[in-house]
Amino acid sequence: MTLLGISGLEVFYGAVCALRDVTLSVGQGEIVALIGPNGAGKTSLLMAVAGIVKPRAGRIDFDGAELRDKQPEAIVAAGIAQVPESRDVFTKLTVHENLLIGASLRSDRAAIQADIERIEALFPRLAERRKQPAGLLSGGEQQMLAIGRAMMSRPRLLMLDEPSLGLAPVVTDAVFETIAGLQASGTTILLVEQNSERALSICHRAYLISAGAMVAGGTPDEIHAAGTVDAAYFGLMSNATGTQP
Amino acid sequence: MIIVQYLIDAASVGGLYALTALGIGLIFGVIGLVNFAYGEYIMMGAYVILLSVGFDWPVVILFMLVYVTAMALLSELLVFRPVRNADPSTLMIVSFGLSYMIQYIYVMLFGSLTRTVNFLPLVNQAIEVGGVRIAGVNLLQISATLILTVALASFIKFTKLGYQMRAVSENPRMARMVGVNIHRVVAAAFVTSAVLAVTVSALFITQTGSMTPFFGTSLTLIGFVATVIGGLGSLVGCALGGFLVGFATTLLQLMLPPDLQPFRDAFVFAAVILVLLLRPGGLIVLSSNQERV
C-alpha cells in the first residue's frame, strides 16, 4: 500500500529549477532511500513534502489525501515528521524541551511522558543531559535528539535528511541501527543520503536523483545492476540510460 | 534622606521604563520586530481611561485590557503578519507607519491638545515618612515591575508557550516543522506585550494625569534605549536597562543646574551614545544575553 505518492513534482527557486517531473512512491512500512550527488534536489524534495517549499507543479499524496497546499504544521498533524540535514535542534532549549516541542500537536500528557521515556531508553545520552541546552550536545547526540524530537509527533512517515553527515563512523552505525529499529516498530522511512553504499545496504527500494531529475529507481540490486550510481555521482550522465520505475 | 528619596524616585521611573522595555524586547525576541507602534498601545490605553471616567477602576482596567489587546492582535494580523518574512528594516518601517497612522487617527478623534483625567487619585497621594515622600503610585510602579518581570521570565522559562516562543525565536521554520502553530505563538507574544502596555499606561496616567496622541513616542524611544543598553534581546537585560535609564534620568534631574534641566533628555541620550560607542553589544552582558527571548 502506498503511503506517500509523489507525481510530476516540479520545484523552482526563482528561475532555477531544483526538481523536474519527479515521481516516486513510498509504501507503508518500507525504508526508501533517495540517493544522488550534492545539489541533486534531494533536500528540496523533502522540503516540498514538509510544506516548506511550495512546488510549481505536481501532486503529493499522503495516505490518500493531497498535501500540496497544506501548511507545515498541518503536514506534521497528518503524520509526517522530518529530521533536517542541519538537524536544527533548538540549541537554547533544553534536551527535554526539544523532545516536548516535538509533541506540540499532542495533548495526551501521560502518553507524551511515556514516549519521552522510551526515547531516553533508546538514547541514554539524552537522559543524562536532559536539563542541558541542546546546543551543548555533540553532533551525534544532536542527531539522536533530532530523531527523538521527530518521533515525538508519532509520525507514520519519518523523513531523514543526511543523517550520517559529519558523524564519526561508529556514530553513523548507531544512527543506522536506530533507523532499522524504527522501521521494525512500524514507522515508514524516507531516507536521503549522499553515502549511497550505506543507504543501499539498509533500504528496501531506492531512487537515484541527479540534477533535479529522477535517474533510476528500484531495489538496491537493480540500482547496482543499472550501474547508474557511479555515473550520476561522477558526472557521466550522458552515458547513463535512465530507467524510470 | 535625600539619597533614599532619590532611590525611590529612580526605581519608580526606572520601573516604568523597564516595563516599556520588556514589552518591546519580548516582540523583538520572538519575531525580530522592532515595534515602534508599541507606544501607541500605551497611548490608546490612556484614552480608554479618558473615555471610561465614571466607572470603577477595575472596570476601567478591564476595558483597557480588552481594547489594547484587541488592537495589538489586529496590528499583528493586518499589518505585521503579511510582512512576516520581510527583512528587519522593512518590518521597522512598517511599524513606523503604523505608529504614525494610529497617532493621527487619535488626533482626528480627540484633537492634538492635552487631555487630563484624574485616575486613581488615592494612589497618587504621597505620604511622608521621616522626610521621604512616597506616593502609592511609586510603590505600585516598583512592585508591578518586579512582579511582571519575574512572572514574564517564569512564563518564558517554564510553560509550553514559553518554550515554543524560544523555539520560534531561534528557528521559526523548524518550529513549524515540528508542528508549532507559529501564528498562535506570535499572537501570544502580542497579547503579553499588550498587557505590559496597559500596565505602563495605567501607571503613567495615574502619575501624570495627562495625555496627547503623541505621548507614546517618547516612552517608546526610552523603551528602545533601555532595550539596546540592556543588550537587545535578553528580557532581564531589558528590565535592567530600563531601571538604568530611570536612575540616570533621575540623577541628572537632581544634579543638573536648573538652567539645563529642560535639556535633560539631551544628556540622557548623549550618555546612551557613549555607552554604545564603548560597548556596542549593550552595557549589561549576562549569559542570558545569548538568548533572544
Side-chain angles (χ1 to χ4, degrees):
Chain A
M1 189 196 114
T2 301
L3 187 60
L4 176 72
I6 295 176
S7 62
L9 188 70
E10 286 188 11
V11 170
F12 280 76
Y13 298 113
V16 180
C17 176
L19 287 173
R20 196 175 334 115
D21 194 23
V22 168
T23 296
L24 65 76
S25 69
V26 180
Q28 176 81 48
E30 274 189 312
I31 297 183
V32 170
L34 195 59
I35 58 177
N38 226 347
K42 306 183 297 292
T43 298
S44 296
L45 190 144
L46 294 197
M47 287 302 173
V49 174
I52 298 292
V53 173
K54 292 295 164 209
R56 182 176 287 188
R59 281 185 69 86
I60 303 173
D61 290 283
F62 182 71
D63 201 19
E66 167 75 80
L67 283 191
R68 229 183 89 182
D69 293 317
K70 287 197 177 166
Q71 294 297 311
E73 50 270 32
I75 290 168
V76 178
I80 299 179
Q82 178 166 178
V83 179
E85 181 177 359
S86 42
R87 287 154 207 149
D88 287 350
V89 298
F90 299 106
T91 55
K92 290 156 200 165
L93 271 61
T94 64
V95 169
H96 186 68
E97 286 168 338
N98 266 280
L99 291 176
L100 276 179
I101 206 166
S104 284
L105 291 166
R106 298 169 54 190
S107 50
D108 43 346
R109 260 163 200 273
I112 289 172
Q113 187 52 41
D115 282 358
I116 287 182
E117 280 162 21
R118 202 164 50 82
I119 287 162
E120 286 181 345
L122 193 62
F123 307 121
R125 292 290 288 161
L126 297 186
E128 290 165 26
R129 313 192 126 212
R130 191 179 296 153
K131 300 264 182 241
Q132 290 184 23
L136 298 180
L137 298 181
S138 72
E141 288 162 352
Q142 290 195 6
Q143 187 68 60
M144 307 287 176
L145 181 57
I147 295 174
R149 180 183 60 187
M151 294 308 296
M152 287 301 295
S153 66
R154 293 204 169 166
R156 284 188 292 157
L157 173 68
L158 178 62
M159 304 192 294
L160 296 117
D161 196 352
E162 305 275 5
S164 70
L165 194 74
L167 299 185
V170 58
V171 183
T172 305
D173 289 344
V175 168
F176 274 86
E177 257 173 54
T178 308
I179 295 170
L182 292 175
Q183 187 266 337
S185 63
T187 311
T188 306
I189 310 272
L190 177 56
L191 172 68
V192 161
E193 259 297 349
Q194 240 183 310
N195 183 343
S196 62
E197 285 313 310
R198 210 57 209 243
L200 290 174
S201 71
I202 187 179
C203 68
H204 301 109
R205 289 188 305 115
Y207 292 93
L208 175 61
I209 186 171
S210 179
M214 198 62 88
V215 176
T219 64
D221 288 342
E222 285 167 2
I223 298 259
H224 273 304
T228 42
V229 175
D230 290 345
Y233 274 76
F234 295 108
L236 305 168
M237 285 315 300
S238 51
N239 301 332
T241 45
T243 51
Q244 282 287 340
Chain B
M1 268 311 123
I2 193 147
I3 293 291
V4 180
Q5 181 74 58
Y6 161 73
L7 284 177
I8 290 172
D9 288 349
S12 165
V13 174
L16 202 65
Y17 295 168
L19 288 174
T20 313
L22 278 178
I24 291 167
L26 179 70
I27 297 291
F28 178 80
V30 175
I31 52 173
L33 164 68
V34 175
N35 189 4
F36 272 96
Y38 185 74
E40 272 51 66
Y41 302 159
I42 298 172
M43 181 273 286
M44 288 190 285
Y47 279 87
V48 172
I49 299 179
L50 184 70
L51 291 178
S52 26
V53 169
F55 287 96
D56 288 336
W57 68 266
V59 181
V60 177
I61 300 276
L62 186 71
F63 285 163
M64 291 170 82
L65 282 171
V66 170
Y67 183 75
V68 176
T69 304
M71 285 298 144
L73 283 175
L74 268 180
S75 62
E76 139 65 5
L77 194 71
L78 300 178
V79 180
F80 296 125
R81 188 179 294 182
V83 291
R84 175 71 45 78
N85 296 320
D87 61 74
S89 48
T90 309
L91 286 174
M92 200 166 82
I93 300 297
V94 167
S95 80
F96 261 128
L98 180 66
S99 164
Y100 274 91
M101 192 187 81
I102 296 175
Q103 282 179 22
Y104 283 95
I105 288 174
Y106 270 69
V107 170
M108 278 199 297
L109 294 174
F110 298 97
S112 56
L113 296 177
T114 305
R115 308 287 291 260
T116 56
V117 65
N118 201 5
F119 188 53
L120 298 179
L122 279 178
V123 180
N124 223 357
Q125 281 173 5
I127 39 169
E128 203 161 316
V129 183
V132 180
R133 290 181 70 251
I134 309 171
V137 69
N138 295 141
L139 295 179
L140 262 183
Q141 263 165 12
I142 297 168
S143 50
T145 310
L146 292 177
I147 292 169
L148 285 177
T149 306
V150 171
L152 189 59
S154 314
F155 171 66
I156 298 286
K157 190 158 174 52
F158 297 115
T159 67
K160 178 171 177 177
L161 260 173
Y163 66 69
Q164 288 187 336
M165 278 183 190
R166 280 180 281 142
V168 169
S169 158
E170 185 179 334
N171 188 341
R173 191 177 80 170
M174 193 61 226
R176 301 189 73 187
M177 278 164 66
V178 295
V180 172
N181 184 338
I182 196 165
H183 294 320
R184 221 186 62 190
V185 170
V186 174
F190 270 88
V191 169
T192 313
S193 86
V195 171
L196 288 163
V198 165
T199 314
V200 172
S201 191
L203 291 169
F204 187 81
I205 294 303
T206 304
Q207 200 174 29
T208 66
S210 66
M211 66 194 79
T212 70
F214 306 113
F215 88 87
T217 307
S218 55
L219 272 175
T220 312
L221 205 56
I222 288 172
F224 270 116
V225 166
T227 318
V228 171
I229 287 185
L232 202 61
S234 126
L235 284 181
V236 180
C238 288
L240 289 177
F243 270 112
L244 213 62
V245 175
F247 273 81
T249 314
T250 317
L251 189 65
L252 280 171
Q253 186 76 39
L254 203 70
M255 314 249 293
L256 283 177
D259 289 346
L260 285 179
Q261 276 187 7
F263 310 109
R264 184 194 64 191
D265 285 355
F267 292 91
V268 174
F269 287 108
V272 168
I273 292 173
L274 200 65
V275 164
L276 290 180
L277 283 176
L278 295 174
R279 304 202 59 164
L283 194 61
I284 300 153
V285 180
L286 300 165
S287 62
S288 62
N289 268 20
Q290 304 305 314
E291 296 174 35
R292 280 174 61 198
V293 170

